[in-house]
């Protein structure tokens, strides 16, 4: 049975992801660093021990760049699903045979992830330059998260999870 992993560091759709795991009766791992209260996402009646269907586990890791990402990758198995806004984690998940979906509903794909990674690399290189040397990066400012983003995420995650059972 596939597991739904949530990269919960600054994730605006953790609640929606857990709701989908409950609905589809999938095990779920909520991962994040120790600077976040991940237990706030777990309902009092949610099973926390592995059962035949939905259960939830909090995977709290130490603070550090990408520590939650690497903890998730270590546990991923083929067929699992990762909710993340991090292209790097999405790329690693796809490389392990898992699926990945972004918080705005973009289902990541092996055919396009390399291009997304190249854009991320270029943006990071540009941000490392002194301000006076920077050009304007297309998409440098991330637009605010909207209700349409949330609706698209829920719709696409439900479709992705429904297709797992086929």
């Amino acid at each position: 049975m596939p597991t739904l992993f949530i990269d919960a560091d600054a994730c605006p759709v953790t609640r929606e992801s857990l709701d989908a795991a409950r609905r589809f009766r999938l095990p779920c791992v909520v991962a994040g660093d120790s600077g976040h209260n991940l237990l706030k996402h777990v309902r009092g009646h949610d099973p926390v021990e592995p059962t035949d269907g939905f259960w939830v586990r909090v995977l709290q890791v130490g603070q550090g760049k990408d520590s939650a990402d690497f903890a998730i990758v270590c546990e991923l198995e083929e067929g699992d699903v990762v909710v993340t806004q991090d292209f790097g984690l999405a790329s690693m998940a796809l490389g392990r045979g898992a699926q990945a979906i972004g918080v705005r509903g973009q289902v990541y794909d092996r055919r396009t992830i390399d291009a997304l990674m190249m854009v991320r690399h270029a943006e990071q290189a540009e941000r490392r330059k002194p301000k006076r040397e920077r050009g304007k990066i297309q998409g440098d400012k991330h637009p605010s998260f909207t209700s349409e983003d949330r609706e698209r995420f829920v719709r696409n995650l439900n479709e992705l999870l429904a297709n797992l059972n086929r």
Side-chain angles (χ1 to χ4, degrees), residues 82-95:
V82 179
V83 174
T84 184
Q85 56 189 336
D86 183 292
F87 296 154
L89 175 55
S91 178
M92 289 186 284
L94 292 173

Side-chain angles (χ1 to χ4, degrees), residues 5-82:
F5 287 86
I6 304 169
D7 179 10
D9 289 341
C11 180
V13 291
T14 301
R15 181 176 47 83
E16 292 81 0
S17 301
L18 273 162
D19 288 346
R22 288 181 188 100
R23 194 168 36 262
F24 285 93
R25 309 271 315 135
L26 294 174
C28 185
V29 176
V30 181
D33 70 40
S34 58
H36 296 87
N37 176 12
L38 301 177
L39 288 173
K40 72 180 178 184
H41 302 293
V42 180
R43 295 180 185 162
H45 61 277
D46 283 340
V48 294
E49 296 293 324
T51 62
D52 205 19
F54 171 75
W55 55 272
V56 63
R57 177 168 58 97
V58 170
L59 177 59
Q60 195 108 38
V61 297
Q63 289 185 335
K65 185 171 173 23
D66 301 326
S67 57
D69 299 351
F70 292 123
I72 289 171
V73 169
C74 286
E75 294 196 15
L76 275 179
E77 294 182 10
E78 189 171 333
D80 289 340
V81 176
V82 179

Side-chain angles (χ1 to χ4, degrees), residues 15 18 32 50 75 90 101 116 121 126 130 150:
R15 181 176 47 83
L18 273 162
E75 294 196 15
I101 182 170
L116 293 172
H121 176 73
E126 192 67 20
R150 188 176 309 282

Side-chain angles (χ1 to χ4, degrees), residues 120-139:
R120 181 181 91 153
H121 176 73
E123 288 174 347
Q124 287 174 339
E126 192 67 20
R127 280 192 290 275
R128 283 192 295 269
K129 291 180 181 178
K131 246 188 174 155
R132 67 182 181 282
E133 294 177 21
R134 290 184 198 171
K136 176 66 178 144
I137 300 174
Q138 190 75 322

